[in-house]
Amino acid sequence: MFRKMRRVKCELKTETAEKILRDGEFGVLALSGDDGYSYAVPLNYAFDDGKIYFHSAKTGHKLDAVNRSEKVSFCVVAQHEVVAEEFTSYYASAIAFGRIRITGDTAEKIHALELLADKYSPNVDKNLRDKEIARVDAVAIMILEVEHLTGKAARELIRDGKIS
């Protein structure tokens, strides 16, 4: 169902692609937007146990697109360095393909908010954190169940053992 990577020498191990997802700061979610146009939006996220969690306002283009089509992709770039004298860049990235859904389950929503808080606000006072998570009904939570994951890097990074 999913294409094989054309440049096999640049393909990363699944474990490395998962690490890119776990450690990435943000990614770009690609959806089917309005009037047949693609809609790609940068988002904070958390990755856990084969699922990617996002939070959002309760209305808007993103949620309309999720309701239109559950099939999406999500791209995270872990590293990018332009190497001008070689007319290239050294990069590492991961792309997750899967189906996304908006959850109404309070336990899933709290789990997602806890993961996001752990990732982006690890040193925040517990009372402040708990107060923010208690606002669970004020946000929408989307969960992307990863069906296929690829990782790719510049062959120079792979060759030099800087990524595998």
Side-chain angles (χ1 to χ4, degrees):
M1 170 155 57
F2 295 98
R3 292 180 182 216
K4 292 205 181 276
M5 191 171 297
R6 185 178 56 83
R7 297 185 73 192
V8 177
K9 291 181 180 179
C10 295
E11 188 170 7
L12 298 175
K13 297 175 187 168
T14 301
E15 298 79 26
T16 305
E18 287 176 349
K19 182 175 182 349
I20 289 171
L21 278 182
R22 260 192 316 282
D23 297 348
E25 199 171 315
F26 74 95
V28 178
L29 181 65
L31 306 135
S32 178
D34 294 343
D35 297 322
Y37 285 94
S38 299
Y39 178 56
V41 59
L43 295 171
N44 292 336
Y45 69 97
F47 175 66
D48 183 54
D49 195 30
K51 297 176 185 168
I52 304 172
Y53 297 86
F54 309 95
H55 77 291
S56 171
K58 294 179 89 171
T59 62
H61 192 175
K62 192 170 38 241
L63 294 184
D64 291 346
V66 168
N67 285 321
R68 180 178 302 109
S69 175
E70 66 181 359
K71 292 181 179 179
V72 300
S73 64
F74 184 68
C75 178
V76 175
V77 178
Q79 158 177 5
H80 183 264
E81 174 191 355
V82 174
V83 185
E85 60 277 3
E86 295 179 26
F87 299 93
T88 192
S89 62
Y90 293 174
Y91 63 90
S93 64
I95 301 178
F97 299 86
R99 297 174 193 269
I100 196 167
R101 63 185 170 85
I102 303 163
T103 184
D105 182 83
T106 301
E108 278 187 320
K109 290 174 77 170
I110 289 171
H111 177 66
L113 292 174
E114 288 174 339
L115 290 170
L116 289 161
D118 289 346
K119 181 173 182 176
Y120 293 103
S121 302
N123 300 316
V124 169
D125 176 75
K126 183 179 178 347
N127 291 329
L128 182 60
R129 172 195 163 100
D130 291 347
K131 185 176 177 181
E132 190 64 23
I133 291 173
R135 297 181 58 239
V136 65
D137 292 330
V139 298
I141 297 293
M142 297 169 290
I143 303 171
L144 190 170
E145 305 241 4
V146 177
E147 296 175 355
H148 182 68
L149 177 63
T150 63
K152 187 175 179 182
R155 64 182 177 268
E156 294 84 357
L157 295 177
I158 295 170
R159 177 194 67 213
D160 295 344
K162 294 180 179 174
I163 197 158
S164 58

